[in-house]
Amino acid sequence: MTSKLSLATLDQVKATASVPSYSRADLVPGIVHFGVGNFHRAHQAIYLDDLFNTGADHDWAIIGAGVLPSDAVMREKLAAQDFLTTVVEQDNNRTGARVTGPMVDILQIGDTAATIEKLADPKIRIVSMTITEGGYFIDASGAFNPQHPAIAEDGKNPAAPKTVFGLIVAGLRARKDKGLQPFTVMSCDNIPHNGKVTKNAVVGVAALSDPAFANWISETVAFPNSMVDRITPATGQRERDIALDDFGIDDNWPVFCEEFKQWVMEDNFPAGRPALEKVGVQFVPEVAPYEHMKIRILNGGHAAIAYPAALLDIHFVHEAMEHPLIRAFLAKLEKEEIIPIIPPVPNTDLNDYFDLIERRFLNPKIGDTIPRLAQDGSNRQPKFILPSTSDRLAKGDDIVGLSLVSALWCRYFHGTSDSGANIVFNDASAERLQAAATKAKDDPMAFLALDDIFGEVAKSELFQKRFAHALKTLWEKGTAETLELYLQNKLVS
């Protein structure tokens, strides 16, 4: 028997999945969240669902929001099932499904007035976001770019903004005009110092039209830093079929994820917050050590294995980790070049943390894919790989492995795998990346000329030398033999 997911069918659904113990009618929205994609619904929404199930803090329900066409599609799919989500948690030894209900609505995408009105609702005390690494309008140095066309347009039309940050500025202005306390702005994206980056974006947009108001935001609004972690692949027909066949739940957009999750946050919420510490969120004075560890080891690890796997025609992440060359490459890279330059993390052994990451990458059940890891490299490489390269160069350390990661990315963007299969890109900068990668086959410096990505790193003679040699070797010998040479400490010119 199958059930179409909705509030009306929860009694049937609970035969195969856990369902909320709280009444949705008792929830009051306290959070507006931009970007209600898979990660948000596997992470922030899960913590809130756990908290609501304890009977606490029912005035912190979520209202979704967005600015992209994909957000409108998500709204349509979730509205048809009363904004409920089936979350399937998969570990190596267990699989379980739960239906979550902390989201009670999603604002009409494109309705600027309704969004600003909701942001000005005194019941809303947190505005959060999961808009991906590329959604923050920052350059290779991490600085906010006020000249981006979308941002410049919001600066010219502050009353009719189109970006998330323009909407937040308009919402804060509406609250100030009403004499209301500002909401806290909370990023849930994988960006170092995500609170600071978000503050720079919000203040930067405001400064384009009203510098005095920008100063008020800078001095008054809280932007706590946080570190978020849960491997959450994209949803496709495979996931819909599993939800239907294994659990009898017909869900328009189920979310699959690993069992592990982590959220570390600064406790900086002047307007109040839900008691998330009751359900496992770590509130700490300083998030930086945790995010540094996670972004360099986990996200950097994902970026490192994505391109050799793609070039070897491997589709799933666990299959990449089962390939002896790729797994050994990741371990050598992490232990010799990445982990040694990560500052200490409270109560954490970094080698034990990497062992955990290996086990998570090896999980075959979640079906995470190499195409997902390989997407949006123009934003991910400068955040997950190149900072480690830069730090090692600053210390005078070698960067053979990290240069190989950059060379693999360049080789990938030539557009074909080692077998000659065409590669499908998912990157806003794909056209110029492919053009640069094509030129780089004969002139490696053509790829490093992408200043907005490589920044100061590209000026290092050592990096230029290591990158050029690695790329030349990839073209002459192929991915597998190049990895072998690296593992044998022979990938040096």
Side-chain angles (χ1 to χ4, degrees), residues 6-75:
S6 71
L7 288 172
T9 62
L10 285 181
D11 279 345
Q12 290 85 47
V13 168
K14 69 182 181 183
T16 56
S18 62
V19 301
S21 63
Y22 52 89
S23 168
R24 280 282 294 276
D26 293 337
L27 298 184
V28 177
I31 299 171
V32 169
H33 183 85
F34 286 92
V36 294
N38 282 21
F39 183 78
H40 164 71
R41 290 182 293 135
H43 193 264
Q44 181 181 347
I46 286 286
Y47 282 104
L48 286 166
D49 190 63
D50 286 343
L51 183 60
F52 295 169
N53 279 327
T54 71
D57 289 354
H58 287 179
D59 58 338
W60 287 102
I62 301 166
I63 295 280
V67 296
L68 301 174
S70 58
D71 295 320
V73 175
M74 182 71 75
R75 182 183 189 277

Side-chain angles (χ1 to χ4, degrees), residues 5 46 53 74-75 117 124 134-135 170 185 211 216 249 267 343-344 354 361 377 381 389 402 478 485 491 493:
L5 183 61
I46 286 286
N53 279 327
M74 182 71 75
R75 182 183 189 277
E117 181 181 2
I124 300 300
V185 183
W216 179 88
I249 303 174
D267 198 355
F354 173 65
F361 286 7
Q381 290 281 316
T389 308
L402 288 163
L485 290 170
L491 189 64
S493 54

